Amino acid sequence: MEIRDVPEPEPAPGRVRIDVHYAGVVFPDVLQTRGDYQMRPDLPFIPGWEVAGVVREDAGGFRAGDRVAAMPVIGGFAETVAVDTEMVFPLPDAVPFDKGAAIPLNYLTADFALHRRARLVAGETVLVHGAAGGVGTAACQLAAARGARVLAVVSTPDKAEVARRAGADEVLPVDGFRDEVRRLTGGRGVDVVVDPVGGDRFTDSLRSLATEGRLIVIGFTGRAIPTVKVNRLLLTNTTVLGAASEEFWHTQPGFVGQQWQDLLPLMESGAVDPPIGSVFDLEDAAAAIRTMDERRAVGRLLIRIHGHGITTT
């Protein structure tokens, strides 16, 4: 990754130009810069999945000067980005730009996983893996806001504190989390598991489900993609569900905008409040990507934009 001056995106129908204040760093950014994501932009390209900033000129129902958050998918690590109108969202005045840049992908994905896919209802118990990461903290906050009991799985004490601040009722260590689930639920198990990690904890997650429980697969930050012995699903009447939010948004026009509208009251009340970990200058974007790649992030990673564009070559 290197800093370059590049031409500004031109105005275009169906696109909104945004002057970026902050960009969020998410795991798909890591995968894209390594060429491991399902969407592979031609090189060189500008990474940056999510941003917050100010609309440059009237477009797509927005007015010049409007405060917005947006999901460009690529192009966010730059002073200005052009984003499809459907992926631009009004940002409440109560939400600062740094928090705004940390909301779109993770909270909309967690909302999709918990409510569209898992059909979470108040009073259920949710187990969240990677609970100090972006999707994890979003899942903790949204599950708690909807009246669920939240059990958070983390790997270090500092991550445990982040999960607690995100609304976790109980924090569990990775090692032995299945036994802790049994103890905390009186042997019943949890109704929903949110798993953005995958890897070798997957089987114990299945074993942590109550009858008719649902395990939501969001991603594989642990690198390994697990397999399921489906006889276990049969014997326990449990379900494994995928939650690929981006792919769903492409097939359901207007759905992501409605999700954002549903989350606005939670933003305004403070129930949606992404924990900010480290903020990097644009010149240090590669270090931000490495921090995410090495799973050292505690809270959200952000890039403060000023004065340059950045490309991956």
Side-chain angles (χ1 to χ4, degrees):
M1 299 179 67
E2 62 185 35
I3 297 287
R4 290 187 186 177
D5 290 321
V6 296
E8 280 196 349
E10 295 292 333
R15 308 271 281 178
V16 178
R17 289 202 301 177
I18 299 167
D19 290 329
V20 179
H21 287 217
Y22 286 89
V25 181
V26 292
F27 192 66
D29 293 323
V30 175
L31 297 179
Q32 284 180 334
T33 58
R34 291 168 47 178
D36 290 340
Y37 198 66
Q38 54 261 39
M39 182 190 70
R40 297 186 179 183
D42 293 334
L43 296 174
F45 73 94
I46 301 173
W49 193 286
E50 57 183 0
V51 301
V54 176
V55 173
R56 170 73 67 85
E57 63 267 309
D58 295 359
F62 293 93
R63 302 296 300 272
D66 282 352
R67 304 172 76 254
V68 294
M71 288 192 292
V73 181
I74 59 172
F77 295 177
E79 290 179 287
T80 303
V81 63
V83 186
D84 289 343
T85 301
E86 179 144 337
M87 292 297 183
V88 182
F89 316 107
L91 190 64
D93 290 340
V95 180
F97 286 120
D98 58 347
K99 299 278 188 178
I103 291 174
L105 180 61
N106 289 326
Y107 282 84
L108 291 168
T109 295
D111 176 77
F112 175 71
L114 289 169
H115 304 115
R116 178 73 183 206
R117 302 296 290 136
R119 308 291 183 179
L120 178 71
V121 298
E124 291 191 309
T125 300
V126 179
L127 180 72
V128 179
H129 285 288
V135 172
T137 51
C140 288
Q141 288 185 357
L142 293 180
R146 306 297 187 188
R149 180 189 184 193
V150 180
L151 309 183
V153 180
V154 297
S155 57
T156 65
D158 54 345
K159 291 182 178 181
E161 182 56 33
V162 170
R164 288 191 185 95
R165 293 202 306 268
D169 296 290
E170 305 282 352
V171 178
L172 291 60
V174 172
D175 294 335
F177 76 84
R178 178 190 170 197
D179 291 337
E180 279 294 286
V181 166
R182 293 178 64 84
R183 182 181 69 82
L184 291 168
T185 62
R188 176 183 178 273
V190 299
D191 300 289
V192 175
V193 174
V194 176
D195 185 7
V197 179
D200 57 9
R201 67 182 72 179
F202 190 82
T203 299
D204 277 346
S205 292
L206 283 176
R207 291 171 175 163
S208 298
L209 287 173
T211 300
E212 295 191 288
R214 295 89 76 197
L215 191 159
I216 311 299
V217 178
I218 296 180
F220 311 104
T221 60
R223 305 293 190 223
I225 298 177
T227 57
V228 179
K229 292 184 177 180
V230 295
N231 64 312
R232 176 169 298 279
L233 308 182
L234 176 66
L235 294 172
T236 57
N237 288 297
T238 49
T239 304
V240 175
L241 298 166
S245 52
E246 183 197 5
E247 288 75 6
F248 189 85
W249 294 330
H250 288 317
T251 65
Q252 301 289 327
F255 182 82
V256 67
Q258 185 57 57
Q259 282 187 279
W260 189 267
Q261 290 298 316
D262 292 342
L263 292 179
L264 282 175
L266 298 180
M267 298 181 207
E268 291 165 345
S269 71
V272 164
D273 183 23
I276 305 302
S278 300
V279 180
F280 295 79
D281 290 330
L282 186 57
E283 290 83 354
D284 298 321
I289 292 288
R290 282 195 298 273
T291 300
M292 176 69 69
D293 189 19
E294 295 167 3
R295 299 182 65 184
R296 292 185 284 111
V298 179
R300 286 302 315 272
L301 302 181
L302 299 178
I303 294 175
R304 184 187 298 108
I305 304 300
H306 56 91
H308 296 285
I310 189 167
T311 64
T312 294
T313 57

